[in-house]
Amino acid sequence: MKFIVVGGGLAGLMATIKIAEKGEIVDLISFVPVKRSHSVCAQGGINGAVNTKGEGDSPWNHFDDTLLGGDYLANQPPVLGMCEAAPGVIYLMDRMGVPFTRTPEGNLDFRRFGGTLVHRTAFSGSTTGQQLLYALDEQVRYWETQGKVNKFEDWDYLSAVIDDNGVCRGCLAQDMKTMEIRSFQGDAVILCTGGLGAVYGKTTNSIINTGSPASSAYQQGVYYANPEMIQIHPTCIGGDDKLRLISEGVRGDGGRLWTYKDGKPWFFMEEWYPAYGNLVSRDVASRGIFKVCRELGLGLDGQDSVYLDVTHLDPEWIEKRQHGVLEIYRKFAGEEPTKVPMKVFPAMHYSMGGMWVDYNQMTNIPGLFAAGECEYQYHGANRLGANSLMSCLYAGMVVGDKSIEYCKALKKTASDVSNKVFEAEAARQKAGMEKIYKFTGSENPYVLKDEMNNYMTNYVGVVRTTKQLKDTDNKLLELMERYKKVGVYDTGGWSNRTAIFIRHLWNMFELARGIVGGALTRKESRGAHYMPEYPNRDDENWLKTIKAKWTPDGPQFSLEDVDISLIKPRVRRYDVSKDQVVKEEAEKEAASGKEEAK
Amino acid sequence: MSDVILKIRRQDGPNSSPYWEEFKVPVAPKANVISLLLEIQRSPVNAQGKPTTPVIWDCNCLEEVCGACSMVINGVARQACAAMVDSLSKPIVLQPLSKFPLVRDLMVDRTKMFENLKKIKAWIPIDGTYYMGSGPKVAPGVQDERYAISCCMTCGCCMEACPYVNSKTNYMGPTCMAQVKLFNAHPTGAMYKDERLDAIAGDGGIVDCGNAQNCERVCPKEIPLVSIIAELNRETAFRGFNRWLKGKPKSPGYESAPG
């Protein structure tokens, strides 16, 4: 059995460990040294209902919060699986030596996060993602010394090798130093390639998150599900090169959002949502800040920003818990956040949508698996804070086990497949590269990306309109036309990053069209997809997964029912507690029952 | 928008000759060195107005947590993302780290740092990923100490600044020493403490440190490298003395311990 894991973030490394500990050998292909993967950027924590604070929390409650936060768009069984496994996953990471923040007794501490009323988020200062990633990186290094893992770092994934029966038998990748393109045999190819922030440009994502491997798979026939579900994180700070995240954990530790109204501080989230206050789900918080700044014109100094305030908290205490985040603010905003409130505004942060996978994490191409942000399975229409780290680790575990099961059942393996299949795909990729080397036009590829970024950020964000979405799609078509006149500037056959970027650029265009097309298809407002033209959630028509299928003439969309077999969707409210909502709905139902009886 | 002059030491590949190239780049508010390099990508023309190739450098997260964008900026090894243009003297001079094999322009290959982590067994041995209950309790004070070290991004700034990391020694470098403490301070990791001390007792280990203390000065994560190395010095000496007394080469069991 041969295993290929692509991507060295949390999902990829967990999958690698799971396979290696079963005695199998993994080729681990990563765009960057795995220790530098984007998982390092996660700050606030990881959710698991360990329930150490006497709040009666449970995996079922975590499950319920996650579904509600995602506006019920996620298939329910895998989400329940994740929430049930979560406490054990946190314990496992603790056993690996993650320096989680402790209680006085030496136990794991938990903080509050958005979309829940309990303390469910384990954390390691405010660099939880970094600490989790390092723990897995260390375990993978051990397996490397045992000969179970072969790392290919600074390699770019190009495409899957698909045989005549439509089965994935390996992949193509390129050494970004020597520019060598080669094929890898794999009975299971597991894509753990992360998000697509670069499609939006200035975001909280790392610059490497172009979504290129997911786009490549999509162009090879993998369905791309709910592409329109893009999370805009409410609290970020500006910058010339990127927008930097200020963790939701800051509000979990007591930070408050406010602006001035009539010359006085106005804690708008606390006023609008008395039950959850500053810790509503992210889509709701971002819309709240947009309303303040764009509709009411009450942003600070009339600009796009509001305060995120921790100045009322004990400086020593907040420093200890949020040092990483406060340092980012000091370095990049140049002000002292324990003395002057931070100025924040929403920024693109995460893709809930992604490659369609079944409950075994396998795409519709047999043998090609996906786990982590690059797939769509766990978050529905909006992700709760601190659920991403858990979903990456959990999906990595599932895909590790399930890919082994899949390979064991194979009658024919990758080594039985004719070499010609691999050679044909290699020839296709090499020809594509040669074509890029010969690009001599006048269009600068980085400028084309900027133009896409501006449209995506301005028109495919918190508030969407049909007209602006259509304008964006037209812009993308224009850019794809201008792509033909791109110049590569650099014809070097050694570490030619510009040529590699040009390949990613096309893949970004294809994904962007999927996102815009998905948004145009979904005629309702649900989670992160908000269209004032269709202001309400419409379960009757749109409680559906939108699946994009790539065609040369643009994406085609189809609908799939969502598995809601475990919890009946409720109205989504954060102004009162869940118990209150259930009570009110029951009363309403009883009243309408009486009405009918009359 | 004002312009800034950037002087960049460039090299097309490991075997090519280095050369200097100057760029005149417009500076936006809150720009960092990365923004300047991104601007060169958008308009790859040098200060003489001649078209050139975009500069190649390493970067990912742009918020000083991934460790990728280390380079020598105005003579000091640091992260380019956290180097705000307003705070730098001009012209700004960029050079690649010199203690690692050069890939191209400002990009270097830091594989040896990751290889060193293998030598010191920088992991907590676990019996497997299956459910075995919670991890050991850790005193908050111990956690604080470990957390500070665990923020190391393997960026290589300490290697660049350390005079004892050079082509004549095998010194694994300051951060590698600190990692020994990170794992030895954990209740499970401590079970195999002696193995890690032995790994830094020999060639390339702690005796190669000449106490220049440059490492701590350049560490972007402010890890107290100097005091950690001093502590490990005592521990390895004590360990050596104990070994001599007892005549025992190693504590048993670790080599076969899984992950």
Side-chain angles (χ1 to χ4, degrees), chain B residues 213-225:
Chain B
Q213 307 196 358
N214 288 356
C215 50
E216 192 170 313
R217 280 191 281 270
V218 296
C219 176
K221 293 290 155 183
E222 296 168 6
I223 301 171
L225 292 162

Side-chain angles (χ1 to χ4, degrees), chain A residues 351-369:
Chain A
S351 170
M352 277 74 67
M355 284 179 274
W356 182 93
V357 288
D358 64 15
Y359 294 175
N360 295 335
Q361 304 289 144
M362 190 159 86
T363 68
N364 50 306
I365 295 178
L368 185 59
F369 294 78

